[in-house]
Amino acid sequence: MSLRIVVTVKYVPDATGDRHFADDLTVDRDDVDGLLSELDEYAVEQALQISENSDDDVEITVLTVGPEDAKDALRKALSMGADKAIHVEDDDLHGTDAIGTSLVLAKAIEKAGYDLVVSGMASTDGVMGVVPALLAERLGVPQVTLLSEVSVEDGKVSGRRDGDTASEQLEASLPAVVSVTDQSGEARYPSFKGIMAAKKKPVQSWDLSDLDLDEDEVGLENAYTVVDSATERPARTAGTIVKDEGEGGKQLAEFLASQKFI
């Protein structure tokens, strides 16, 4: 038997960089370095562990929707051990929100073929966390989300979801969509051998026409969620320095009281 796993990943702006909005109030991705979303690395890792623990032949495909540079995220996942990649790129995708993205991903997953879809719990830029559920709805399959552990056996995917007051054991029959949290296990670092091997692994490029989608189904003008306004974070100001010349304690207490800390 064989098991086809599709891992959805996202190319996101580096959170340590100085991020801005573009003139149309979408994220300015040209002004900051990008990388594979850290939370998606956990999804890749869990797919690899399922493969390593399975007696079946497992094929792992990583899938992303994004600009040309998004191939860097795919290469990172391939260097970790994924088998092949699919990159959906089209100028008309600019400004697409989570609902539109889920449509594109679902069409690409159906075209690629799958038994299991694995996603991270959220992206590190939008941090909405709704795409896995939207995907399951569009694909018409069960969803088992926010798992700290995940395994596949006998045509079922199962795992543990940890909440604030309890842990649940969940399972669903395949095909299914799962998402994993950052508590599911540290993602591996790509080895030198893996990095070199990734350069030879296939990366397919698809656009909207390959997925039988029209431009009026995606993009900023057709998004259900948009940013209406944004204000730059003000520059940090110098703090208040209290020189203790006998009255330091009093001045400190007055300052804390003025800020309503005491």
Side-chain angles (χ1 to χ4, degrees), residues 222-233:
N222 303 293
Y224 286 80
T225 56
V226 295
V227 178
D228 287 331
S229 63
T231 304
E232 287 249 5
R233 180 185 298 169

Side-chain angles (χ1 to χ4, degrees), residues 150 219 262:
V150 59
I262 59 174

